Amino acid sequence: MTRTVFITGAGRGIGLAVARAFAGAGDKVAAGYRTEPPPDGLFGVRCDVTDPDSIHEAIEQVEGQYGRIEVVVANAGITRDSLSPMMSDADFRDVLETNVLGAFRVAKLAIPGMLKARWGRIVFMSSVMGFLGSAGQTNYAASKSALLGLTRSLAWEMGSRNITVNAVVPGLIDTEMIKPITDKRRAELLSQTALGRIGTPDEVAAVVRFLAGAEAGYVTGAAIPVGGGLAMGL
Ligand code: NDP
């Protein structure tokens, strides 16, 4: 089954791995990017999730090229870390705007096509930090918990239309995003990770692909951990 798949934040990191995984399986992939287009001859579509017009244009471009979007992966995300007394409203707002409102907008604009098809898959990219909390990341952790409420509510709204909505919950994954983490914090997180190692973007991509596939037809409203055991049981 070849599907049209749209992934945000697919210029690098987890999003790029997800794009490659779907493309490798023969799907028609549109890799959304904000600054640098994706490598590899992937079909790149400019899409800034903080700009509704940009999302609208991106979706029109994808549907013009490949037809209705059947799978959407809202992956774009940012951090703006600092301890709460020092955190500006702007840093709090920017993280919520990108990570939550951006994800909501992308899903919302992809849904009409899925409703017509009476089939669809929506995957949000949460984080273990949304469960554990993290000093210096009140904004980020709040945004990633918010995605769980978004996932579950949308799963209720879309269930009768055969559209599943799930969240992937990565632990520590080897991308640009974790570069600023101190050695001490990294060691601390790894000591709480049953597998004792950092994960790879490909390991997250494999789970996203599963959730988007026919095999996951009865999985919705779920938060699937991909954290090597970090935050297990929460
Ligand atoms: P990266 O920083 O490597 O990638 C983030 C991507 O999001 C970049 O491509 C970036 O594009 C894009 N992006 C940021 N802001 C916007 C925007 N406004 N519009 C569109 N795209 C945007 O990090 P990861 O690959 O690790 O992160 C991917 C997702 O996984 C994020 O949601 C992150 O929170 C989540 N995650 C990551 C974990 C990890 O350990 N790495 C753990 C748990 C969750 P640009 O190049 O323009 O900046």
Side-chain angles (χ1 to χ4, degrees):
M1 187 169 55
T2 302
R3 289 113 7 126
T4 297
V5 184
F6 179 48
I7 305 131
T8 62
R12 61 165 196 261
I14 293 172
L16 177 58
V18 170
R20 284 176 170 152
F22 279 107
D27 287 310
K28 294 177 282 184
V29 174
Y33 68 93
R34 182 179 55 167
T35 42
E36 285 297 307
D40 288 340
L42 283 164
F43 173 51
V45 177
R46 223 194 89 72
C47 178
D48 181 340
V49 300
T50 63
D51 175 358
D53 290 341
S54 170
I55 303 175
H56 198 78
E57 281 162 26
I59 287 187
E60 278 192 343
Q61 215 182 320
V62 178
E63 296 194 333
Q65 175 84 9
Y66 287 146
R68 242 176 235 152
I69 293 172
E70 291 152 302
V71 178
V72 71
V73 183
N75 163 78
I78 58 168
T79 54
R80 293 276 184 277
D81 298 354
S82 61
L83 291 170
S84 293
M86 272 85 76
M87 186 174 287
S88 66
D89 282 8
D91 281 349
F92 201 94
R93 195 184 306 117
D94 287 353
V95 169
L96 270 287
E97 166 93 22
T98 302
N99 297 6
V100 187
L101 187 52
F104 174 68
R105 286 184 183 125
V106 171
K108 183 179 159 180
L109 288 177
I111 280 171
M114 295 180 183
L115 288 175
K116 283 190 199 118
R118 294 189 76 85
W119 196 94
R121 295 280 193 265
I122 299 170
V123 180
F124 293 112
M125 200 57 71
S126 180
S127 163
V128 289
M129 296 314 165
F131 290 80
L132 287 172
S134 173
Q137 294 196 303
T138 49
N139 51 359
Y140 182 75
S143 75
K144 294 301 182 178
S145 317
L147 286 177
L148 301 177
L150 172 55
T151 298
R152 290 165 184 162
S153 304
L154 206 49
W156 279 115
E157 291 185 9
M158 294 297 133
S160 64
R161 309 304 177 93
N162 201 26
I163 298 169
T164 69
V165 187
N166 292 289
V168 171
V169 187
L172 202 55
I173 308 297
D174 190 13
T175 69
E176 295 281 320
M177 186 171 272
I178 67 159
K179 290 224 163 101
I181 295 179
T182 62
D183 289 347
K184 181 167 170 270
R185 177 66 174 149
R186 190 175 293 236
E188 197 176 270
L189 289 170
L190 284 179
S191 74
Q192 295 161 24
T193 301
L195 292 178
R197 65 170 177 85
I198 292 176
T200 67
D202 289 344
E203 288 171 320
V204 180
V207 176
V208 174
R209 228 170 65 69
F210 165 72
L211 287 171
E215 307 88 335
Y218 203 52
V219 182
T220 196
I224 311 286
V226 191
L230 179 60
M232 77 168 93
L234 293 182

